[in-house]
Amino acid sequence: MSKKMFSDQEISDFVDEFRANGGRPAGKYAGYTLLLLTSGVEADGTPHVSPLNFYADADRYFVYAVNPGVDEHPRWLHDLRADPQATIEVEGRTLQVTAEEIHGAKRDEMYARQAARYPQFTEHQATTTRLIPVVELVPNANR
């Protein structure tokens, strides 16, 4: 599995603040487009929650398996590959979603859109030997 970029406590603090702020990032993350993805479970049985940057396109959300500086995919991607059913918390709503990894021209287009908004995404791709996966999250109500 992959290394964590943030400690468990940092993630827990962010999740608590995100939820307390009505599903909006606060503090040093204010203004970012972030959602919470719940996929899989931890060893202790608690849900595995990952704060992720996203790009919204109509009723779909695109997330990026960046894992900065690491040549391994993040844990949440492994979870979604094993079971594409997940939950997201975004903009004050909780949605059941189905995840689908996208490839080829669609992947490249969605990654380029995100990199145009956040230039560090270009740097993230340049610092790894793997092609950073892009996952489309489609709310089940829209399927």
Side-chain angles (χ1 to χ4, degrees), residues 4 9 16-17 48 58 69 85 87 98 102 119:
K4 285 189 173 184
Q9 187 60 54
D16 291 345
E17 184 176 45
H48 178 73
Q85 299 304 308
T87 303
T98 300
I102 59 174

Side-chain angles (χ1 to χ4, degrees), residues 24-122:
R24 289 181 311 280
K28 69 181 181 179
Y29 298 105
Y32 282 81
T33 53
L34 298 171
L35 59 75
L36 300 181
L37 171 73
T38 301
S39 62
V41 294
E42 300 290 356
D44 65 2
T46 60
H48 178 73
V49 179
S50 302
L52 300 175
N53 199 301
F54 73 92
Y55 182 89
D57 186 37
D59 60 350
R60 296 159 190 264
Y61 301 88
F62 294 85
V63 292
Y64 307 85
V66 175
N67 213 12
V70 180
D71 278 332
E72 298 174 17
H73 297 310
R75 153 85 189 274
W76 62 263
L77 182 64
H78 296 284
D79 289 344
L80 293 179
R81 285 177 171 170
D83 180 3
Q85 299 304 308
T87 303
I88 61 172
E89 296 172 55
V90 60
E91 300 166 342
R93 298 176 297 150
T94 300
L95 304 170
Q96 300 301 309
V97 297
T98 300
E100 181 180 341
E101 196 170 336
I102 59 174
H103 303 280
K106 185 175 181 181
R107 179 257 171 228
D108 296 345
E109 175 189 354
M110 297 316 294
Y111 198 88
R113 287 184 185 187
Q114 187 69 343
R117 294 171 64 213
Y118 297 106
Q120 64 268 35
F121 274 71
T122 300

